Amino acid sequence: MALIVQKYGGTSVGSVERIQAVAQRVYKTVKAGNSLVVVVSAMGKTTDGLVKLANAISTNPNRREMDMLLSTGEQVTIALVSMALQELGQPAISMTGAQVGIVTEAEHTRARILHIETDRLLRHINAGKVVIVAGFQGISNGGEMEITTLGRGGSDTSAVAMAAAIGANYCEIYTDVPGILTTDPRLVPEAQLMGEITCDEMLELASLGAKVLHPRAVEIARNYGVPLVVRSSWTDEPGTWVTTAKPQGRSLVNLEIALPVDDVEFDTDQAKVALLRVPDKPGVAARLFGEICRQNVDVDLIIQSIHESNSNDIAFTVSTPILKRAEAVAAAIAPALRNQPNSDEAEVMIEQNIAKVSIAGAGMIGRPGVAAKMFATLAEVGVNIQMISTSEVKVSCVVAAAECDRAIVALREAFDLEEVKNKTQNTPYRNSEINTPLSSLPVRGVALDMNQARLAIRQVPDRPGMAARLFGLLARHNISVDMIIQSQRCRVVDGIARRDIAFTVAQMDGENAQQRLSQIAPELGWGEVVLDSAIAKVSIVGAAMVGQPGIAAKMFAALAENQINIQMIATSEIKISCVVAQEQGVQALQVIHAAFDLAGSEKFVVPA
């Protein structure tokens, strides 16, 4: 039949009764003729209890000793699950991460998997045993053989990596929800179950705070073509399939630290339309993009920068053939956005001869150095960045069209990529290789991240190398950046053209980032570095949004109708994100979810 990897989370094995229920499910799967590897987490809140013990002993526990401590949680579970299976008459053996051959970096508390030595594992499978593996842990490469842990979501990562290493037919993730829902059911009880979702969509949702799957696990599934299904531990419902493209023939050596970028894409058929100094109040983006939708103008990137005084800049890119139509829409609506007639508000700025250059790949997640490397590479060849757009699988920069070829050559060399076909037209989200029929709904899910902070750097000199210096510094201090917005307004101060740059980071990194950047601001000629932790980011995700100009307008209108002001906007092909005030974050998620008719007729109750 099939070779299957199953993973059970902490709540699924949280008691003796639940462990016995898991054993029954595993036994039933084996009796159907399948071979099985089972990856388990620590029971219930065991890991939280161990962390509490450590903090009671030390205010700053040694990271090596934390790995020694936390790795014991899973060892309890694997032994008990193995015993439960043996009681049912099913041969089983428990194995720690080290015993099963999960070899990692020597990076305590957040190691990445290098490879998995599968010989011992496969011997036990071939002997008819179910192998119960401790998730979340491995052993370091080299002679030291240190116990390591993989960080948050490590059991998901262990399971999908194991499935890739042994060539499993699929990997089942069992959890306390019936699958992947359109949003957090704790905030919207009417959230609906999705039958399937693409890896790229899931990467975005997972990274935006959807806790069903960890982004690293989805990254491995995407890179190695592992079919994933998320199911409930309590029912036999079919769950949600996470569909993957055909595997790219990647080596299983350096499994999690292989090339983070697998493609450079470009589009030279682009132009930019910007409205400068539009009023900073609810409804402005909704009016602009509502009219764009009515005129059937398809936009690509959309950015709204941080406010200055009482105004923002909004910019978007379009393909060159429809520039005149886009310009006409912007010019027609600009007077309606002005507080005073004949003022300099809502000035329309058009820029042609631009190109969008992007790096793409699932290996960017949690690696702050990837975007910084892109910016540094462009700076080294004298390419200035005019716009930046980021997502979990892509970083895009708008540059002068004349500099596009130079940028592509430099990026391909920097990321060690072979030559590929030219992509001179808009590069849509590539789901053509996915065999599973995809939903026609343009928006698949809505996510809310309440754990971000925004930093704004005023008056950054507008020249090559500034973004590289800024984000390179953050990368060296292991600070990951999410949204990045560069203002469209360019002011001349002391004879130097300057722009503002704003970006979001995890709240826990906010003060550290502000301190680091403030220290070098005088040296690099930057202005003030401002931190705002009272923000929320709400996002919509969907592969079918491409080519549908009304999607952004509907999102912005839902916020405007509820008097929720948009502070920042950033988009990619499959995601639109808005920063709003933190106190309005939950309401923003709820009204957007309702606007796209994602709610079902039944309410979902999250199990205790």
Side-chain angles (χ1 to χ4, degrees), residues 45 48 59 61 251 259 312 323 344 360 366 387 402-403 472 504 587:
K45 300 292 185 181
D48 291 342
T59 56
S251 169
L259 293 175
N312 287 315
L323 173 60
D344 65 351
M387 294 172 71
E403 298 176 336
T504 59
Q587 183 190 10

Side-chain angles (χ1 to χ4, degrees), residues 392-524:
E392 288 307 318
V393 294
K394 187 175 288 188
V395 180
S396 299
C397 294
V398 170
V399 302
E403 298 176 336
C404 181
D405 288 347
R406 191 160 77 248
I408 294 161
V409 171
L411 290 170
R412 298 203 64 76
E413 183 177 339
F415 289 103
D416 195 23
L417 299 174
E418 297 175 2
E419 284 300 315
V420 295
K421 298 184 294 184
N422 282 357
K423 295 180 181 174
T424 56
Q425 298 300 317
N426 284 340
T427 308
Y429 167 70
R430 295 168 294 171
N431 60 7
S432 58
E433 295 178 311
I434 296 173
N435 297 320
T436 305
L438 298 179
S439 167
S440 59
L441 289 175
V443 174
R444 308 302 315 287
V446 185
L448 176 67
D449 190 343
M450 299 281 280
N451 298 307
Q452 291 211 340
R454 178 181 60 216
L455 287 118
I457 307 178
R458 302 292 188 183
Q459 299 184 17
V460 177
D462 184 33
R463 57 176 178 248
M466 283 293 112
R469 294 288 296 271
L470 194 168
F471 296 106
L473 173 71
L474 297 177
R476 288 192 295 277
H477 291 92
N478 203 36
I479 297 173
S480 291
V481 176
D482 184 14
M483 294 173 69
I484 303 173
I485 304 290
Q486 190 169 254
S487 71
Q488 294 306 295
R489 233 176 293 186
C490 198
R491 289 167 297 166
V492 176
V493 179
D494 299 329
I496 300 172
R498 300 173 184 270
R499 298 181 192 268
D500 296 340
I501 294 181
F503 56 92
T504 59
V505 298
Q507 275 183 357
M508 62 182 181
D509 291 328
E511 291 186 2
N512 184 22
Q514 182 187 33
Q515 181 183 358
R516 302 283 182 188
L517 294 169
S518 296
Q519 287 173 348
I520 66 165
E523 174 190 343
L524 297 178

Side-chain angles (χ1 to χ4, degrees), residues 79-405:
L80 293 175
V81 173
S82 184
M83 291 176 192
L85 282 166
Q86 291 166 13
E87 284 295 302
L88 296 173
Q90 171 59 48
I93 184 170
S94 62
M95 301 178 78
T96 66
Q99 290 172 323
V100 83
I102 298 176
V103 181
T104 75
E105 306 168 298
E107 186 72 39
H108 287 294
T109 73
R110 58 183 182 212
R112 288 184 177 269
I113 298 172
L114 298 177
H115 62 276
I116 300 177
E117 297 170 355
T118 59
D119 291 352
R120 185 179 180 186
L121 172 71
L122 293 173
R123 281 201 309 272
H124 288 303
I125 292 173
N126 292 334
K129 295 178 183 176
V130 173
V131 182
I132 316 298
V133 178
F136 177 67
Q137 62 180 248
I139 192 164
S140 67
N141 199 23
E144 297 295 328
M145 299 188 71
E146 290 284 314
I147 292 174
T148 56
T149 63
L150 308 181
R152 190 174 70 83
S155 292
D156 286 354
T157 305
S158 300
V160 182
M162 189 71 65
I166 64 175
N169 295 88
Y170 54 90
C171 178
E172 299 176 316
I173 305 291
Y174 284 93
T175 182
D176 56 0
V177 293
I180 298 161
L181 301 165
T182 51
T183 195
D184 186 342
R186 295 167 184 83
L187 302 178
V188 182
E190 300 83 7
Q192 289 191 81
L193 178 69
M194 300 185 224
E196 49 74 31
I197 188 171
T198 68
C199 261
D200 280 16
E201 289 171 320
M202 190 64 238
L203 271 173
E204 299 287 7
L205 288 172
S207 302
L208 291 165
K211 299 184 176 81
V212 180
L213 275 174
H214 194 273
R216 280 171 62 185
V218 185
E219 173 189 348
I220 297 168
R222 181 186 188 270
N223 286 341
Y224 292 94
V226 178
L228 273 179
V229 59
V230 179
R231 291 182 171 142
S232 169
S233 298
W234 326 119
T235 71
D236 292 321
E237 296 298 318
T240 305
W241 282 92
V242 182
T243 59
T244 63
K246 295 174 183 176
Q248 302 169 13
R250 284 174 177 256
S251 169
L252 287 163
V253 177
N254 291 335
L255 192 147
E256 272 203 285
I257 61 169
L259 293 175
V261 173
D262 53 37
D263 203 0
V264 173
E265 302 169 356
F266 61 94
D267 181 0
T268 56
D269 192 18
Q270 291 236 319
K272 179 174 69 177
V273 180
L275 275 83
L276 308 184
R277 297 178 296 278
V278 297
D280 180 31
K281 61 185 180 184
V284 171
R287 292 179 71 179
L288 171 61
F289 289 96
E291 188 60 31
I292 284 172
C293 172
R294 284 187 288 275
Q295 299 300 325
N296 200 31
V297 174
D298 189 21
V299 303
D300 185 4
L301 301 181
I302 303 172
I303 66 165
Q304 177 181 306
S305 60
I306 52 171
H307 67 84
E308 181 180 356
S309 299
N310 296 312
S311 67
N312 287 315
D313 300 338
I314 299 179
F316 56 94
T317 60
V318 296
S319 62
T320 304
I322 63 170
L323 173 60
K324 290 295 183 185
R325 193 147 40 105
E327 182 179 1
V329 172
I333 200 171
L337 298 179
R338 295 170 185 151
N339 289 315
Q340 299 290 333
N342 304 317
S343 73
D344 65 351
E345 294 175 325
E347 175 192 354
V348 179
M349 182 177 73
I350 305 298
E351 187 162 354
Q352 300 188 61
N353 301 317
I354 61 170
K356 182 177 72 172
V357 180
S358 309
I359 54 173
M364 303 180 192
I365 299 165
R367 303 187 202 183
V370 177
K373 184 174 181 178
M374 179 186 192
F375 303 151
T377 300
L378 295 178
E380 287 166 7
V381 293
V383 174
N384 198 33
I385 300 169
Q386 300 180 23
M387 294 172 71
I388 299 170
S389 174
T390 58
S391 77
E392 288 307 318
V393 294
K394 187 175 288 188
V395 180
S396 299
C397 294
V398 170
V399 302
E403 298 176 336
C404 181
D405 288 347

Side-chain angles (χ1 to χ4, degrees), residues 33-79:
N34 302 296
S35 298
L36 219 58
V37 176
V38 178
V39 177
V40 294
S41 300
M43 293 176 64
K45 300 292 185 181
T46 299
T47 302
D48 291 342
L50 293 172
V51 171
K52 189 174 180 180
L53 283 173
N55 290 332
I57 296 290
S58 171
T59 56
N60 186 26
N62 178 276
R63 286 170 59 187
R64 178 189 183 276
E65 304 309 331
M66 284 299 291
D67 277 357
M68 290 291 285
L69 176 66
L70 297 183
S71 64
T72 63
E74 281 72 22
Q75 291 179 47
V76 172
T77 316
I78 58 173

